């Protein structure tokens, strides 16, 4: 299949990636999302908007982030060479700022003075609080009480940046419930507010917008890898929760002879409630205003999910990921908590890079794949740094040499 026109063809005008996506909204919210769609489609091809976003990326975010060859890690595994796209070096320590600065710029264009969001691992919350400070906007972040305890450093950063952090105490008190709470806020305050969804999920146009803002990750990585090596990687991989870092990494390679693999969190095992591997164990369903693949309980409702990585414990996945799997262009695999923690320590000890637990899932897959393949190259999107996870990992797993 030729994917050269893919970005023009998808999504459709009604926000569909094949049968997935769309916008399932209460009637009184439809005009609000149409306003966002019209505003985005107006400015996304504007030279003023594009040039301002480029300036922000260059002067404020520190882009481009580099591609790095993990020489010692690769040598320890065999002949296969592992490379990292260093989104942990993007300002605020993760890929999230790529779309948050775009959404903040859009909010200013639309004359909104308030931005809200959910966050799991806290990286999206920190990025949005950063964007709010940069653009002079009011910022409210909804975060599950469980994640607040796990991600104390990021909670502190959000507050220092001037954001209001609202604990969510319903249900499992994690990412899904934080999204629910943010939607409730938006229902009441959409006239002066933009809900800046934290991943490539939600009603149209958010999966498209987040994809477009994150595209820079894979675009840079492809050019950098070619410049470094003279060829393309054999495998491109990234972790997948909602799917923002992975969709940005994958799409610039979509028309290349490259294997693309998304890595989901297997958590503690295959039983429902012990993982958050939507693509691997889920089925089609509608949640939070979009149609995709989701994990369901016996009543067909969103199932309880779990992952050691707070940014991955979501019971659905971006609709474009569901579509890419359906057409056979992207494969999806899993990594367990144990594999992620092992990769967390291995990358730290051998390369001096402490990865986020979310990113550690992709590193774990690359390590497993490198051992199996024996040769070639694997390019991993290291979507975030692990400062936020240090206290939690040490408290629950000790240090590597103590295990």
């Amino acid at each position: 299949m030729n994917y050269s026109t893919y970005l023009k063809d998808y999504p459709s005008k009604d926000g569909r990636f094949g049968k997935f996506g769309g916008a399932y909204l209460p009637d009184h919210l439809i005009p609000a999302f149409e306003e966002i769609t019209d505003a985005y489609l107006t400015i996304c091809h504007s030279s003023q908007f594009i040039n301002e976003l480029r300036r922000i990326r260059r002067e404020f975010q520190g882009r481009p982030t580099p591609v790095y060859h993990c020489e010692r890690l690769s040598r320890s595994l065999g002949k296969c060479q592992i490379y990292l796209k260093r989104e942990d070096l993007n300002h605020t320590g993760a890929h999230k700022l790529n779309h948050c600065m775009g959404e903040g710029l859009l909010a200013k264009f639309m004359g909104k003075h308030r931005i809200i969001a959910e966050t799991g691992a806290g990286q999206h919350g920190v990025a949005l609080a950063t964007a709010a400070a940069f653009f002079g906007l009011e910022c409210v972040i909804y975060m599950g009480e469980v994640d607040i305890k796990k991600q104390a450093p990021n909670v502190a950063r959000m507050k220092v940046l001037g954001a209001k952090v609202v604990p969510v105490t319903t249900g499992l008190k994690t990412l899904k419930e934080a999204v629910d709470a943010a939607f409730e806020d938006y229902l009441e305050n959409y006239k002066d507010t933009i809900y800046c969804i934290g991943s490539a999920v939600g009603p149209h146009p958010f999966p498209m917008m987040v994809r477009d803002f994150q595209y820079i990750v894979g675009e840079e990585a492809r050019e950098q890898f070619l410049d470094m090596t003279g060829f393309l990687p054999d495998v491109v991989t990234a972790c997948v929760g909602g799917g923002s870092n992975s969709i940005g990494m994958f799409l610039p390679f979509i028309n290349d002879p490259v294997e693309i693999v998304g890595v989901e969190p297997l958590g503690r095992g295959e039983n429902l409630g012990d993982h958050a591997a939507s693509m691997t164990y889920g089925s089609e369903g509608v949640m939070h205003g979009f149609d995709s693949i989701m994990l369901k309980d016996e009543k067909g409702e969103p199932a309880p999910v779990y992952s050691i990585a707070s940014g991955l414990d979501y019971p659905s996945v971006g609709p474009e990921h569901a579509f890419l799997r359906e057409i056979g262009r992207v494969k999806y695999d899993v990594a367990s908590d144990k594999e992620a923690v092992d990769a967390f320590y291995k990358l730290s000890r051998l390369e001096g890079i402490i990865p986020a637990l979310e990113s550690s899932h992709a590193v774990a897959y690359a390590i497993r794949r490198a051992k199996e393949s024996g040769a070639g190259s694997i390019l991993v999107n290291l979507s975030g740094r692990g400062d936020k996870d240090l206290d939690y990992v040490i408290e629950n797993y000790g240090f590597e040499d103590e295990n």
Side-chain angles (χ1 to χ4, degrees):
M1 180 175 177
N2 188 320
Y3 296 94
S4 58
T5 61
Y6 178 89
L7 291 175
K8 291 183 178 180
D9 296 338
Y10 301 102
S12 62
K13 289 184 178 179
D14 60 351
R16 295 280 178 179
F17 300 90
K19 64 182 178 181
F20 303 108
Y24 298 78
L25 297 162
D27 289 344
H28 70 283
L29 263 189
I30 292 173
F33 275 80
E34 288 178 345
E35 179 192 19
I36 294 172
T37 304
D38 290 345
Y40 178 67
L41 293 178
T42 297
I43 67 171
C44 71
H45 297 295
S46 157
S47 62
Q48 289 88 348
F49 179 84
I50 293 168
N51 287 331
E52 177 62 7
L53 196 57
R54 284 175 175 169
R55 184 190 70 81
I56 289 168
R57 286 171 173 171
R58 182 179 63 251
E59 298 176 8
F60 184 67
Q61 294 182 229
R63 303 203 68 88
T65 58
V67 165
Y68 170 75
H69 178 210
C70 296
E71 186 176 353
R72 292 188 68 219
L73 175 63
S74 302
R75 194 185 314 130
S76 75
L77 300 171
K79 296 178 182 177
C80 186
Q81 303 301 305
I82 295 177
Y83 294 78
L84 306 177
K85 175 57 172 170
R86 296 289 308 278
E87 286 301 287
D88 59 312
L89 297 179
N90 192 34
H91 181 45
T92 74
H95 70 289
K96 295 290 188 181
L97 196 63
N98 299 330
H99 65 256
C100 285
M101 295 307 290
E103 289 171 336
L105 197 56
L106 178 64
K108 291 290 284 187
F109 174 81
M110 296 176 67
K112 307 293 186 179
H113 64 79
R114 183 174 181 265
I115 52 178
I116 63 171
E118 84 295 332
T119 195
Q123 289 298 141
H124 176 60
V126 169
L128 196 66
T130 301
F134 182 92
F135 291 112
L137 301 167
E138 181 185 346
C139 182
V140 178
I141 305 294
Y142 290 89
M143 191 171 189
E145 198 172 53
V146 169
D147 293 334
I148 285 176
K149 292 177 182 177
K150 286 173 66 177
Q151 306 292 346
N154 273 346
V155 175
R157 292 169 74 193
M158 285 182 265
K159 291 180 177 178
V160 166
L161 288 162
K164 179 182 179 182
V165 180
V166 179
V168 179
T169 59
T170 57
L172 294 177
K173 307 174 186 177
T174 56
L175 184 57
K176 187 262 180 186
E177 290 75 24
V179 176
D180 292 341
F183 260 107
E184 289 176 12
D185 183 321
Y186 191 55
L187 282 168
E188 296 178 5
N189 300 293
Y190 62 88
K191 291 184 179 179
D192 64 357
T193 297
I194 284 187
Y195 177 15
C196 297
I197 294 175
S199 193
V201 298
H204 179 65
F206 282 96
M208 173 183 69
M209 283 171 46
V210 171
R211 173 194 77 180
D212 292 352
F213 291 136
Q214 290 295 344
Y215 190 87
I216 187 66
V217 178
E219 187 176 41
E220 288 177 1
R222 186 181 185 279
E223 180 180 343
Q224 291 164 327
F225 195 92
L226 276 168
D227 185 58
M228 289 175 72
T229 67
F231 50 82
L232 291 168
D234 294 293
V235 180
V236 173
T237 189
C239 65
V240 179
S244 56
N245 91 93
S246 43
I247 205 68
M249 185 67 170
F250 293 168
L251 287 185
F253 292 93
I254 196 170
N255 207 36
D256 294 324
V258 169
E259 185 179 350
I260 304 175
V261 183
V263 186
E264 297 192 296
L266 184 60
R268 297 178 291 242
E270 298 182 1
N271 293 331
L272 197 65
D274 283 341
H275 63 80
S278 310
M279 296 285 277
T280 306
Y281 298 103
S283 58
E284 186 179 356
V286 175
M287 186 182 79
H288 291 149
F290 68 103
D291 183 299
S292 188
I293 301 299
M294 61 181 279
L295 293 166
K296 302 174 184 175
D297 62 18
E298 63 280 358
K299 297 180 180 179
E301 297 297 318
V305 291
Y306 159 80
S307 170
I308 189 175
S310 298
L312 301 181
D313 58 359
Y314 186 64
S316 188
V317 66
E320 192 162 8
H321 283 287
F323 177 64
L324 288 169
R325 185 185 68 169
E326 185 174 73
I327 63 176
R329 183 60 189 96
V330 179
K331 299 176 183 177
Y332 293 83
D333 208 322
V334 294
S336 68
D337 279 2
K338 184 181 185 306
E339 288 178 297
V341 172
D342 288 346
F344 176 93
Y345 279 116
K346 190 176 287 290
L347 188 65
S348 299
R349 296 292 173 88
L350 291 180
E351 298 293 345
I353 299 170
I354 302 174
L357 284 172
E358 291 76 17
S359 315
S360 298
H361 286 72
V363 176
Y365 173 79
I367 289 171
R368 186 200 315 154
R369 185 67 183 268
K371 290 177 180 177
E372 294 170 354
S373 63
S377 59
I378 303 172
L379 176 58
V380 181
N381 188 18
L382 195 75
S383 56
R385 67 182 182 223
D387 306 41
K388 66 184 180 60
D389 297 312
L390 281 175
D391 291 345
Y392 178 81
V393 171
I394 292 167
E395 180 180 343
N396 289 274
Y397 294 89
F399 292 96
E400 185 186 41
D401 51 12
E402 294 175 352
N403 293 333

